[in-house]
Amino acid sequence: MGIIGMGRIGNVHYQNLLTFSDVHVKTICDILVDNSWKEKYTRVPNLVKDYHHVLDDPMIDAVLICTPTDLHPQITIDAARAGKDIFCEKPVGFENKDILEAYKVVNETGVKFEVGFNRRFDKHFDKIVEHRDEGRIGEQQILKITSRDPEPPSLDYVEHSGGIFMDMTIHDFDMARFITGQEIDEVHVFGNVLIDDNIRKFKDIDTAVISLKFTNGMLGVIDNSRKAVYGYDQRIELFGSKGVARAENVLNSETIFVGKDGSLSDTPMYFFLQRYKDAYARELKSFFGAIRGKHPVACNFEDGIRAIRLAEAAKRSLLSGQAEKVAEVE
Amino acid sequence: MGIIGMGRIGNVHYQNLLTFSDVHVKTICDILVDNSWKEKYTRVPNLVKDYHHVLDDPMIDAVLICTPTDLHPQITIDAARAGKDIFCEKPVGFENKDILEAYKVVNETGVKFEVGFNRRFDKHFDKIVEHRDEGRIGEQQILKITSRDPEPPSLDYVEHSGGIFMDMTIHDFDMARFITGQEIDEVHVFGNVLIDDNIRKFKDIDTAVISLKFTNGMLGVIDNSRKAVYGYDQRIELFGSKGVARAENVLNSETIFVGKDGSLSDTPMYFFLQRYKDAYARELKSFFGAIRGKHPVACNFEDGIRAIRLAEAAKRSLLSGQAEKVAEVE
Amino acid sequence: MGIIGMGRIGNVHYQNLLTFSDVHVKTICDILVDNSWKEKYTRVPNLVKDYHHVLDDPMIDAVLICTPTDLHPQITIDAARAGKDIFCEKPVGFENKDILEAYKVVNETGVKFEVGFNRRFDKHFDKIVEHRDEGRIGEQQILKITSRDPEPPSLDYVEHSGGIFMDMTIHDFDMARFITGQEIDEVHVFGNVLIDDNIRKFKDIDTAVISLKFTNGMLGVIDNSRKAVYGYDQRIELFGSKGVARAENVLNSETIFVGKDGSLSDTPMYFFLQRYKDAYARELKSFFGAIRGKHPVACNFEDGIRAIRLAEAAKRSLLSGQAEKVAEVE
Amino acid sequence: MGIIGMGRIGNVHYQNLLTFSDVHVKTICDILVDNSWKEKYTRVPNLVKDYHHVLDDPMIDAVLICTPTDLHPQITIDAARAGKDIFCEKPVGFENKDILEAYKVVNETGVKFEVGFNRRFDKHFDKIVEHRDEGRIGEQQILKITSRDPEPPSLDYVEHSGGIFMDMTIHDFDMARFITGQEIDEVHVFGNVLIDDNIRKFKDIDTAVISLKFTNGMLGVIDNSRKAVYGYDQRIELFGSKGVARAENVLNSETIFVGKDGSLSDTPMYFFLQRYKDAYARELKSFFGAIRGKHPVACNFEDGIRAIRLAEAAKRSLLSGQAEKVAEVE
């Protein structure tokens, strides 16, 4: 298979693929490829700059699209037309027209398509779903998601991020749907800039409380911050008529020190590369399982679009100050 | 001193007063008083039905008002005019006109007046305030309150409760102000009936997610449920630029059992009488400290009214489906 | 009833008795009684120096013996002959001859006699026994007790304490029997002076690891330290064929602060007066229940002697460096 | 490099080596090698039955010895004489004469030699050492190790295991030295058969409490069981004058379910392959770092022998019923 886009996340996937005995990375594609890359990627036969080389190669069955978001739809369309199965990083695109075009082509060509919502493969969150599926939660009533980054991205990144809802909360919106198995009807946002005033330049915010009303009547809330000094804060709580399941943070170690000031546990894992290390590996394993027909794709194109619809509704709510309905896929 | 109203909460206070060596309960007043009460309250000299007997007694310096809510304002007015210091259970009243009249009389007479928001005296929540005051939280950014009862009240109680916001969330509104030391500007509610359909008869709800926007720009959320099968769920989390303080539930014991299914900790304390047992005693101790001039009243009339204003805004938001501004005291 | 000996522990009991509506403290006896005591103990009719005044009073049914340990046997004998039910602080005495004489008299007179092993009334440890009794532990295999004081007693106290095993570990020995419901056959001690060298003057130690072999074949270990800077460390773990029950420390609050260094929980309660506050009250409640015939005495004279036999075996083991058999009661 | 012995642990190392970009497994040696192995080990050029083929290969710099224990000394001697650096699984041998002979040859030839005490590479235990090294523990006073397997090995395994102390406790003895950085002077054992009577046939036990006296005066205790129904129980606690560091069990997930019976956390990781997965990888990484001269070997031959001396002392103590001195290396 081939990888298109070798930034941070492309390399995460590449490292995981090295440990898979049944997957062969034939080509890596990145606009920055030069001769020095040969030393770094000794196990990869081809290093190219133009992704069409990947798509034209009949030996390549599947591609990972890890480029900047604005390129996702076009590469998806080209890859689908070339008959490749596709794993595409989130979000599936920025422009709605492009996204729906890519969605249409994927559906027409019938290639497998998976969106990279890595948190679906976190074993701790998975355990909540297990509790739910085994009936221990009972009727679902309240979902709570805490999602705070350890530090804000660079302002340069913020400028092209699509805003906090499209860049960061989109994961939480996907989790809200994944954890409950329910759709969200309405969204209300209180948001503010409390961390870095510079973010106002991009009409973005860094702190938010996002309330959710689900179509089945249950309620939810997501709270986001771009900066938690103690590390990546990723907790989910699903409350229902029979009890509550809570996924707590994963710590750097299970060792505590008790001294005269109290009992000090270790910090949460620093950020997504640490916390979701295993999830990224399980995600790819699942994708290859899906394209081999072992099970359906874990997170499909529609899931990708629905998360975007939620982000759009959140953006509207922030501007209107009122609750907003979530739009349909098309 | 005297106690007016000997229902459940009146008796809680009475039991605590027995352990105070420097406070003497001279008179108990309740419309249900009859001869059989003499056996139960052997240490109390007077048992009366009419609260004016309490107010006319020059030996009585202070009264606890523990009657149904609708009687609070009139008794407050009469007690203030009689020069008694007053401890009044929450809420301070239902009708705004009556409340403001009582507020005015209390201010004019200059008697001490404390509202019974018992959670302000919980040592676990107090510790959050200590962390905040000592600067460990840094700039406050997000407040989260989880407040779930173990079981819904009787429908009969619900009918006269003033609705979930006035009866239950009012405590959380007061805590939101107490924990942060900030005022709330705007409130948004998503609410529903997910536990018992009968509650719809009273146009009430049993499950709610209430978002808060504070005047200093920080955000917050309260989630309420009338039924948590695992017991009283009372957690607060205050997040800021330097860290987060979290008060977890208090368990029936610190003993865990680890077997083949995992590690089982004990249940949270069942309800407010258990969880806030010590808080009720500290509350009264504080009231008597205040009337002896040792420190200001911990929770004054204005605090009582502000909590009501928040409950009113929540009610409006539930009806309008939109965020609502919180009204001023007067 | 009457209290003989009004040092620290006598006062703890006195405070608890004030909250009992059905027990009347008629006389307090202490060699230090003078006129100033009247102001402090306004609710107690008689304040005397000679304990015979207590025993001669036909209105007094029961006595609490809270004097220094060396006086316990003689007062017990006199009280038993006077027909009083007796609650006696631990240990029941120092000299074996005196103890056995008191034991004989108590048995002959048939008065109720309870030893003050307060930890039997701690709800957290009780919960372990509940797990055991309900069969969740299965066959008992390993008992572990951690018992560390927050700070060493004064050297003056150490001199008259009877040594660490008789003063401190005696509680743990009683707990070892109480938690398991089993007798101990053999004891091995490794001990040392690691905190304060001055303690060597009294041939005492301040740190110990005490292994236990029970008559039913199960094993155990107690570790003791006279100084844990983080507060009173009182944990018990009972491991068996079906699982393990663990009583953890009780903290000053359930509030944690998570900052850049990790998650800081509160300190354990400082010492026995804080940690066992409720246990002391339950202990006396149980004693009065027993003398009213509601249930057997919770901790009888034989229990008091068996704990001493274990302390004696530990002392022998420390000297011999070898495992030592535990002697019979008589 | 080459691997000699491809049982369970040989395969664990092999899987880890696949992810190392700078180590090449040239030869695998096992007496069971046959043609079918070629399919399983496609990336390994040579599969042989006789370990001399490995030692004779000048392209091989280092070997992992993962054979049954009784073969360790002879292969070590041959490998050292062939100039190979050696990683040898624990224990380094059974017969003292053989072990010392191998020790001598390793010293004479100057090859690098590391013993496979994998727990030294567990990040949770490492954190205790970090607390100690940074002075947070203060003067070390008490070490406690809980080490319980989820289920007993087969009786066939027990027969050739060398007994519980040589097979299982040997890890704990090594940890006692590693965590404290101190040597142990004396050992006392209470042990019993409480899980499976069949183990008596081999004069072995399945449950033990092992007290330790260190040369620096500090004390310790290890408790062992061959069967904890809740999973692998691996906890260490180091107590000193400034505080205590505790490594708790690592759970299968950080998700808890709170229902009417209380709060259920997940089970501990099942056994050593799960719990020490990362430690095994770090162990090999460290070995290859050592043979490349980046740092000293993390666990040398002397460490391997000292752990055996402790196991021998424990065995003597079990037989004598008394405390036993620990012998010197030679």
Side-chain angles (χ1 to χ4, degrees):
Chain A
M1 46 82 61
I3 306 176
I4 301 170
M6 280 301 276
R8 186 166 57 176
I9 196 68
N11 272 287
V12 167
H13 292 314
Y14 170 71
Q15 289 296 329
N16 282 322
L17 289 171
L18 283 186
T19 69
F20 290 11
S21 55
D22 52 359
V23 174
H24 180 61
V25 181
K26 189 173 173 202
T27 307
I28 276 177
C29 166
D30 195 286
I31 52 165
L32 300 176
V33 156
D34 64 27
N35 273 331
S36 71
W37 286 45
K38 284 187 189 164
E39 289 163 38
K40 194 172 168 196
Y41 300 102
T42 51
R43 301 194 188 181
V44 182
N46 303 325
L47 296 164
V48 303
K49 286 192 175 197
D50 182 342
Y51 72 83
H52 295 94
H53 290 305
V54 181
L55 303 184
D56 291 346
D57 185 340
M59 297 296 288
I60 288 179
D61 302 316
V63 293
L64 308 192
I65 305 177
C66 308
T67 63
T69 300
D70 50 356
L71 304 176
H72 289 176
Q74 189 58 51
I75 303 179
T76 296
I77 288 168
D78 293 346
R81 291 206 170 123
K84 311 299 184 198
D85 289 327
I86 301 163
F87 176 94
C88 179
E89 273 304 317
K90 63 94 219 170
V92 289
F94 280 144
E95 292 300 321
N96 196 34
K97 194 173 139 285
D98 300 345
I99 294 167
L100 289 179
E101 171 70 13
Y103 181 45
K104 197 180 133 207
V105 174
V106 164
N107 283 341
E108 284 168 6
T109 56
V111 298
K112 300 271 171 72
F113 182 93
E114 177 158 345
V115 190
F117 279 122
N118 55 297
R119 294 186 196 169
R120 290 189 176 217
F121 300 91
D122 179 78
K123 68 177 178 175
H124 312 282
F125 297 150
D126 235 34
K127 188 83 188 178
I128 297 181
V129 176
E130 186 188 315
H131 283 303
R132 185 198 79 191
D133 286 347
E134 294 183 3
R136 284 184 214 112
I137 308 289
E139 296 291 316
Q140 298 181 72
Q141 296 169 343
I142 301 175
L143 171 75
K144 293 176 74 178
I145 297 180
T146 293
S147 180
R148 302 170 187 154
D149 285 353
E151 50 182 348
S154 66
L155 289 173
D156 189 57
Y157 177 94
V158 168
E159 188 172 1
H160 303 94
S161 68
I164 191 171
F165 301 126
M166 196 64 85
D167 178 55
M168 180 177 168
T169 324
I170 197 168
H171 279 291
D172 305 310
F173 286 131
D174 184 63
M175 288 314 285
R177 295 180 60 247
F178 174 71
I179 293 288
T180 63
Q182 301 293 328
E183 297 302 336
I184 294 158
D185 193 37
E186 230 176 310
V187 169
H188 175 270
V189 174
F190 277 142
N192 210 346
V193 177
L194 299 176
I195 295 159
D196 182 358
D197 267 341
N198 287 308
I199 219 169
R200 293 185 197 275
K201 290 181 204 163
F202 312 108
K203 303 204 154 83
D204 204 354
I205 57 169
D206 53 29
T207 307
V209 167
I210 303 144
S211 307
L212 311 172
K213 189 159 191 178
F214 289 77
T215 52
N216 70 342
M218 67 177 291
L219 311 176
V221 65
I222 297 165
D223 71 277
N224 282 158
S225 168
R226 282 289 195 183
K227 185 172 182 182
V229 293
Y230 47 85
Y232 203 31
D233 195 342
Q234 297 280 294
R235 288 172 284 153
I236 298 184
E237 171 172 336
L238 180 61
F239 171 79
S241 61
K242 289 189 182 169
V244 61
R246 295 163 57 178
E248 297 289 324
N249 283 318
V250 183
L251 307 183
N252 282 310
S253 80
E254 294 302 321
T255 297
I256 62 175
F257 172 74
V258 193
K260 64 184 169 42
D261 297 325
S263 174
L264 187 72
S265 303
D266 214 334
T267 43
M269 288 188 168
Y270 181 65
F271 212 168
F272 64 97
L273 293 181
Q274 292 80 37
R275 164 63 191 262
Y276 296 122
K277 187 172 182 287
D278 290 348
Y280 281 115
R282 290 176 67 202
E283 179 181 53
L284 279 198
K285 200 154 282 179
S286 173
F287 172 63
F288 287 102
I291 67 182
R292 281 164 186 155
K294 294 183 191 166
H295 51 76
V297 156
C299 185
N300 62 28
F301 210 129
E302 195 180 308
D303 292 318
I305 298 175
R306 286 197 186 278
I308 289 172
R309 294 290 173 265
L310 284 156
E312 292 163 347
K315 203 166 179 177
R316 287 197 306 276
S317 175
L318 182 66
L319 293 172
S320 73
Q322 302 302 358
E324 296 284 344
K325 287 272 176 190
V326 181
E328 282 305 304
V329 168
E330 302 191 71
Chain B
M1 46 81 59
I3 307 175
I4 301 171
M6 281 302 278
R8 186 167 55 174
I9 196 67
N11 272 288
V12 167
H13 292 313
Y14 170 71
Q15 290 296 329
N16 282 323
L17 289 171
L18 283 186
T19 69
F20 290 10
S21 55
D22 52 0
V23 175
H24 179 62
V25 181
K26 189 171 174 202
T27 307
I28 277 176
C29 166
D30 195 287
I31 50 163
L32 301 176
V33 157
D34 64 26
N35 274 332
S36 71
W37 286 43
K38 284 186 191 165
E39 288 163 40
K40 192 170 170 199
Y41 301 101
T42 52
R43 299 193 190 182
V44 181
N46 303 325
L47 295 163
V48 302
K49 287 192 172 196
D50 183 341
Y51 72 84
H52 295 93
H53 291 305
V54 182
L55 303 184
D56 292 345
D57 186 340
M59 298 295 289
I60 287 179
D61 302 315
V63 293
L64 307 193
I65 305 177
C66 308
T67 62
T69 299
D70 50 356
L71 304 177
H72 289 177
Q74 189 58 51
I75 303 178
T76 296
I77 289 167
D78 293 346
R81 290 201 171 129
K84 311 300 184 197
D85 290 326
I86 301 164
F87 176 94
C88 179
E89 273 304 319
K90 63 93 220 176
V92 288
F94 281 143
E95 293 301 322
N96 195 35
K97 193 171 140 285
D98 300 345
I99 294 167
L100 290 178
E101 171 72 11
Y103 181 46
K104 196 179 134 206
V105 173
V106 164
N107 283 341
E108 284 168 3
T109 55
V111 297
K112 300 272 172 70
F113 181 92
E114 178 158 343
V115 190
F117 280 122
N118 55 296
R119 294 186 197 170
R120 291 190 176 216
F121 301 91
D122 179 78
K123 68 178 179 175
H124 313 281
F125 298 149
D126 235 33
K127 188 85 187 176
I128 297 181
V129 176
E130 186 188 316
H131 283 303
R132 185 198 78 191
D133 285 347
E134 295 182 1
R136 284 183 213 112
I137 308 290
E139 297 290 316
Q140 299 182 69
Q141 296 169 343
I142 301 174
L143 171 75
K144 294 175 74 178
I145 297 179
T146 293
S147 180
R148 301 169 188 154
D149 285 352
E151 52 181 346
S154 66
L155 289 173
D156 188 56
Y157 178 94
V158 169
E159 186 171 4
H160 302 94
S161 69
I164 191 171
F165 302 125
M166 196 64 86
D167 178 54
M168 179 179 171
T169 324
I170 198 167
H171 279 291
D172 305 310
F173 286 131
D174 184 63
M175 287 314 284
R177 296 180 62 246
F178 174 71
I179 293 287
T180 63
Q182 301 293 328
E183 297 303 334
I184 294 158
D185 194 38
E186 233 177 307
V187 169
H188 174 271
V189 173
F190 278 141
N192 209 346
V193 177
L194 299 176
I195 296 160
D196 182 358
D197 267 342
N198 287 309
I199 219 169
R200 293 185 198 274
K201 289 181 205 163
F202 312 107
K203 304 204 151 84
D204 205 355
I205 56 170
D206 53 29
T207 308
V209 166
I210 303 145
S211 308
L212 311 173
K213 190 162 190 175
F214 289 77
T215 53
N216 71 340
M218 69 176 290
L219 311 176
V221 65
I222 297 165
D223 72 276
N224 282 157
S225 168
R226 281 290 195 183
K227 185 172 181 183
V229 293
Y230 48 84
Y232 203 32
D233 195 342
Q234 297 280 294
R235 288 173 285 152
I236 297 185
E237 170 172 338
L238 180 61
F239 171 78
S241 61
K242 290 190 181 167
V244 62
R246 295 162 57 177
E248 298 290 323
N249 283 318
V250 182
L251 307 183
N252 281 311
S253 81
E254 293 303 320
T255 298
I256 63 175
F257 173 74
V258 193
K260 64 183 169 43
D261 298 326
S263 174
L264 187 71
S265 303
D266 214 333
T267 42
M269 288 187 169
Y270 181 65
F271 211 168
F272 64 98
L273 292 181
Q274 292 80 37
R275 164 65 190 261
Y276 295 122
K277 185 172 183 289
D278 289 349
Y280 280 116
R282 290 176 68 201
E283 180 180 54
L284 279 198
K285 199 155 280 180
S286 173
F287 172 63
F288 287 103
I291 67 181
R292 280 160 188 160
K294 293 183 190 166
H295 51 76
V297 156
C299 186
N300 62 29
F301 211 129
E302 197 181 306
D303 292 317
I305 298 175
R306 286 197 186 278
I308 289 172
R309 294 291 173 263
L310 284 157
E312 291 164 348
K315 202 164 180 178
R316 288 198 306 276
S317 175
L318 183 67
L319 294 172
S320 72
Q322 302 302 355
E324 296 284 344
K325 288 273 177 189
V326 181
E328 283 303 305
V329 167
E330 302 191 70
Chain C
M1 46 83 60
I3 306 175
I4 301 170
M6 280 301 278
R8 185 167 57 177
I9 195 67
N11 272 287
V12 167
H13 292 314
Y14 170 71
Q15 290 296 330
N16 282 322
L17 289 172
L18 283 186
T19 68
F20 291 11
S21 56
D22 53 358
V23 175
H24 180 63
V25 182
K26 188 172 176 202
T27 307
I28 277 177
C29 165
D30 195 286
I31 52 166
L32 302 175
V33 158
D34 62 29
N35 274 331
S36 71
W37 286 44
K38 282 185 191 166
E39 290 163 39
K40 193 172 169 196
Y41 300 101
T42 51
R43 301 196 189 179
V44 181
N46 303 326
L47 295 163
V48 303
K49 287 191 173 197
D50 182 343
Y51 72 85
H52 294 94
H53 290 305
V54 182
L55 303 185
D56 291 347
D57 185 341
M59 297 294 289
I60 288 178
D61 302 314
V63 293
L64 308 192
I65 305 177
C66 307
T67 63
T69 300
D70 52 354
L71 304 177
H72 289 177
Q74 188 58 50
I75 303 178
T76 296
I77 288 167
D78 294 345
R81 288 202 173 128
K84 311 299 184 198
D85 289 325
I86 300 164
F87 176 94
C88 180
E89 273 304 317
K90 63 94 221 175
V92 289
F94 280 145
E95 292 301 322
N96 195 35
K97 191 170 142 286
D98 299 344
I99 294 166
L100 290 179
E101 171 70 12
Y103 181 46
K104 195 178 136 207
V105 174
V106 165
N107 284 342
E108 284 169 3
T109 56
V111 297
K112 300 271 171 69
F113 181 94
E114 177 158 343
V115 190
F117 280 122
N118 54 297
R119 294 186 196 171
R120 291 190 174 215
F121 300 90
D122 178 78
K123 68 177 178 175
H124 313 280
F125 298 149
D126 235 34
K127 188 83 187 176
I128 298 181
V129 175
E130 187 189 313
H131 283 302
R132 185 198 81 194
D133 285 347
E134 294 181 4
R136 286 185 211 110
I137 308 289
E139 297 290 316
Q140 299 181 72
Q141 294 169 345
I142 301 175
L143 171 75
K144 294 175 73 176
I145 297 178
T146 294
S147 180
R148 301 169 189 156
D149 286 352
E151 52 181 347
S154 66
L155 289 173
D156 188 58
Y157 178 94
V158 169
E159 185 172 5
H160 302 95
S161 68
I164 191 171
F165 302 124
M166 196 63 86
D167 178 55
M168 180 178 169
T169 323
I170 197 167
H171 279 291
D172 306 310
F173 286 132
D174 184 62
M175 288 312 286
R177 295 181 60 246
F178 173 70
I179 293 288
T180 62
Q182 301 293 326
E183 298 301 336
I184 294 158
D185 193 38
E186 231 176 310
V187 169
H188 174 270
V189 174
F190 277 141
N192 209 344
V193 177
L194 299 176
I195 296 160
D196 181 358
D197 267 342
N198 287 308
I199 219 171
R200 291 184 199 277
K201 289 180 203 162
F202 312 107
K203 304 205 152 86
D204 204 352
I205 57 171
D206 53 30
T207 307
V209 167
I210 304 146
S211 308
L212 310 172
K213 190 163 192 177
F214 289 77
T215 53
N216 71 340
M218 69 176 289
L219 311 175
V221 65
I222 297 164
D223 72 277
N224 282 156
S225 168
R226 282 289 196 183
K227 186 173 181 182
V229 293
Y230 48 84
Y232 203 32
D233 195 343
Q234 296 280 295
R235 288 173 285 153
I236 298 184
E237 171 173 337
L238 180 61
F239 171 80
S241 60
K242 290 189 182 168
V244 61
R246 295 162 59 178
E248 297 291 323
N249 284 318
V250 182
L251 307 183
N252 281 311
S253 81
E254 294 303 321
T255 298
I256 62 175
F257 172 75
V258 193
K260 64 183 170 43
D261 297 326
S263 174
L264 187 70
S265 303
D266 214 334
T267 42
M269 288 188 168
Y270 182 65
F271 211 168
F272 64 97
L273 292 182
Q274 292 80 36
R275 163 66 191 258
Y276 295 122
K277 185 172 182 288
D278 289 348
Y280 281 115
R282 290 175 67 200
E283 178 180 58
L284 278 199
K285 200 155 281 181
S286 173
F287 172 63
F288 287 103
I291 68 181
R292 281 162 187 158
K294 294 182 191 167
H295 51 75
V297 156
C299 185
N300 62 27
F301 211 130
E302 196 180 306
D303 292 316
I305 298 175
R306 286 197 186 277
I308 290 173
R309 294 290 173 265
L310 283 156
E312 291 163 348
K315 202 165 181 178
R316 288 198 305 277
S317 176
L318 183 67
L319 293 172
S320 73
Q322 301 301 356
E324 295 285 344
K325 287 274 179 188
V326 181
E328 283 304 305
V329 168
E330 302 192 69
Chain D
M1 47 81 60
I3 307 176
I4 301 170
M6 280 301 277
R8 186 166 55 174
I9 196 67
N11 272 289
V12 167
H13 292 314
Y14 170 71
Q15 289 297 330
N16 282 322
L17 289 171
L18 284 185
T19 68
F20 290 10
S21 56
D22 54 358
V23 174
H24 180 63
V25 181
K26 191 175 172 198
T27 307
I28 276 177
C29 164
D30 195 287
I31 50 165
L32 301 176
V33 158
D34 63 29
N35 274 332
S36 71
W37 286 45
K38 284 186 191 163
E39 290 163 39
K40 192 171 169 196
Y41 300 101
T42 51
R43 302 193 188 180
V44 181
N46 302 324
L47 295 163
V48 302
K49 287 192 173 197
D50 182 343
Y51 72 85
H52 295 94
H53 290 304
V54 181
L55 304 185
D56 291 346
D57 185 339
M59 298 294 289
I60 288 179
D61 302 315
V63 293
L64 307 193
I65 305 177
C66 307
T67 62
T69 300
D70 51 357
L71 304 177
H72 289 177
Q74 189 58 49
I75 303 178
T76 296
I77 288 167
D78 293 347
R81 288 202 172 128
K84 312 298 185 199
D85 289 326
I86 300 164
F87 177 93
C88 179
E89 273 304 317
K90 63 92 221 174
V92 290
F94 280 143
E95 292 301 321
N96 196 36
K97 193 171 139 287
D98 300 344
I99 294 167
L100 290 178
E101 171 71 11
Y103 182 46
K104 196 178 135 208
V105 173
V106 164
N107 283 341
E108 283 168 4
T109 56
V111 297
K112 300 272 172 68
F113 181 94
E114 178 158 343
V115 189
F117 281 123
N118 55 296
R119 293 185 198 173
R120 290 189 177 218
F121 300 91
D122 178 78
K123 68 177 179 175
H124 313 281
F125 297 150
D126 236 33
K127 188 81 187 179
I128 298 180
V129 175
E130 187 188 314
H131 283 303
R132 184 197 81 193
D133 284 349
E134 294 182 1
R136 284 185 214 111
I137 308 289
E139 297 290 315
Q140 299 181 71
Q141 294 169 344
I142 301 174
L143 171 75
K144 294 177 73 177
I145 297 178
T146 294
S147 180
R148 301 169 188 156
D149 286 352
E151 53 181 345
S154 66
L155 289 173
D156 189 56
Y157 177 95
V158 169
E159 186 171 4
H160 302 94
S161 68
I164 191 171
F165 302 124
M166 196 64 85
D167 177 55
M168 179 177 169
T169 324
I170 197 167
H171 278 291
D172 306 310
F173 286 132
D174 184 62
M175 288 312 284
R177 295 181 61 248
F178 174 71
I179 293 287
T180 63
Q182 300 294 327
E183 298 301 336
I184 294 158
D185 193 38
E186 232 177 309
V187 169
H188 175 270
V189 174
F190 277 141
N192 209 345
V193 177
L194 299 176
I195 296 161
D196 182 358
D197 267 343
N198 287 310
I199 218 169
R200 292 184 198 277
K201 289 181 203 159
F202 311 107
K203 302 208 153 83
D204 204 353
I205 57 171
D206 53 30
T207 307
V209 167
I210 303 144
S211 308
L212 310 172
K213 190 161 192 176
F214 289 78
T215 52
N216 71 342
M218 68 177 291
L219 311 175
V221 65
I222 296 164
D223 72 276
N224 282 156
S225 168
R226 282 291 197 183
K227 184 171 183 183
V229 293
Y230 49 85
Y232 203 32
D233 196 342
Q234 297 280 294
R235 288 173 285 153
I236 298 185
E237 171 173 337
L238 180 61
F239 171 80
S241 60
K242 290 189 182 167
V244 62
R246 295 163 58 177
E248 296 292 322
N249 284 319
V250 182
L251 307 184
N252 282 311
S253 81
E254 294 303 321
T255 298
I256 62 175
F257 172 75
V258 193
K260 64 183 169 42
D261 297 327
S263 174
L264 187 71
S265 303
D266 214 334
T267 43
M269 289 188 166
Y270 182 64
F271 211 168
F272 64 98
L273 292 182
Q274 292 80 34
R275 164 65 190 259
Y276 295 122
K277 185 171 182 290
D278 290 348
Y280 281 116
R282 290 176 69 201
E283 179 181 56
L284 279 198
K285 199 153 280 179
S286 174
F287 172 62
F288 287 104
I291 67 182
R292 281 160 187 162
K294 293 182 190 167
H295 50 76
V297 155
C299 185
N300 62 28
F301 210 130
E302 196 180 306
D303 292 317
I305 298 175
R306 285 198 187 278
I308 289 173
R309 294 291 173 265
L310 283 157
E312 291 164 347
K315 201 166 181 177
R316 289 197 306 277
S317 176
L318 182 67
L319 293 172
S320 73
Q322 301 302 355
E324 295 285 343
K325 287 273 178 190
V326 181
E328 283 303 306
V329 169
E330 302 191 71

